[in-house]
Amino acid sequence: MVTLAVIDRSGDQRHIDVRVGDPLMIALRDGGFGIEATCDGGGICATCHVYLESGWAEDLPEADVFEEMQLEGLVHRQGNSRLACQVLVSDAVDGNTVRVAPEEF
């Protein structure tokens, strides 16, 4: 397990424990952070859009072409945007912060 700080859409922050190897989306959805994940992790709905704060994106594999295509259409996209369903949690991300992006739809 690793611990992540999560900032929800209202700006409140909580720390959660996340199982290594799981998609980040599972912890955010099950933790009540307003992540719908309507495609159940298929990477096609973009309802799990998050911002990887504190520079930890470089500790992860880059977004693939399909994730990039989904991110391109988002109004609230930033340089640190990712789909939480495509981010597999590893020990390298322990102690970092993720911010839930504003709803798009």
Side-chain angles (χ1 to χ4, degrees):
M1 297 288 266
V2 299
T3 301
L4 291 174
V6 181
I7 302 170
D8 65 20
R9 290 185 177 117
S10 66
D12 294 329
Q13 180 175 311
R14 282 194 280 152
H15 288 85
I16 61 170
D17 292 325
V18 184
R19 188 174 32 223
V20 171
D22 278 356
L24 177 58
M25 178 271 299
I26 292 172
L28 297 178
R29 181 194 62 200
D30 296 351
F33 289 99
I35 297 290
E36 290 181 40
T38 56
C39 71
D40 200 30
I44 59 173
C45 71
T47 60
C48 65
H49 179 206
V50 296
Y51 305 125
L52 304 182
E53 303 287 322
S54 58
W56 59 291
E58 43 290 336
D59 294 330
L60 300 170
E62 290 185 19
D64 66 21
V65 66
F66 300 107
E67 182 180 0
E68 282 294 332
M69 287 173 33
Q70 290 300 318
L71 291 169
E72 282 177 7
L74 299 178
V75 173
H76 300 290
R77 182 182 185 174
Q78 298 180 0
N80 59 343
S81 287
R82 291 295 301 266
L83 299 180
C85 66
Q86 301 302 302
V87 175
L88 295 181
V89 175
S90 69
D91 289 326
V93 304
D94 191 36
N96 287 301
T97 303
V98 61
R99 179 182 299 269
V100 179
E103 287 186 276
E104 294 282 330
F105 314 104

